[in-house]
Amino acid sequence: MPTITLRHFASLRERRGTERETLEVTPGTTLRAVYGTLFAPIADGPLPVACLRNQRQASPDDAVSAGDEVAFLPPFGGG
């Protein structure tokens, strides 16, 4: 099975308890499916995140490949 590297930032890092991990995926797995595997929906529904694959913005429907680095960026707040 292909293995991908996951990087977690901000609140997603807190939810996973780590900033980096690896995950085995089946061929054809989408970024949306990876996110769904890692993060259960919160009470208000799924968190809107930006998807990055190999440090480039990607569509949630893009498939991952062996060796990819994947990151999901949660919304940033501030003031």
Side-chain angles (χ1 to χ4, degrees), residues 1-71:
M1 268 195 203
T3 300
I4 60 173
T5 300
L6 298 149
R7 301 217 33 223
H8 306 300
F9 298 93
S11 62
L12 298 180
R13 180 180 58 228
E14 293 171 16
R15 286 178 67 185
R16 291 297 295 172
T18 186
E19 68 180 56
R20 184 182 292 260
E21 63 185 308
T22 58
L23 179 70
E24 286 187 356
V25 295
T26 57
T29 299
T30 64
L31 290 167
R32 181 184 318 275
V34 171
Y35 182 81
T37 297
L38 298 172
F39 301 102
I42 56 176
D44 296 335
L47 185 66
V49 295
C51 300
L52 295 161
R53 191 172 129 236
N54 300 322
Q55 300 179 2
R56 295 182 157 225
Q57 190 162 2
S59 165
D61 296 319
D62 288 351
V64 296
S65 299
D68 280 351
E69 179 184 78
V70 172

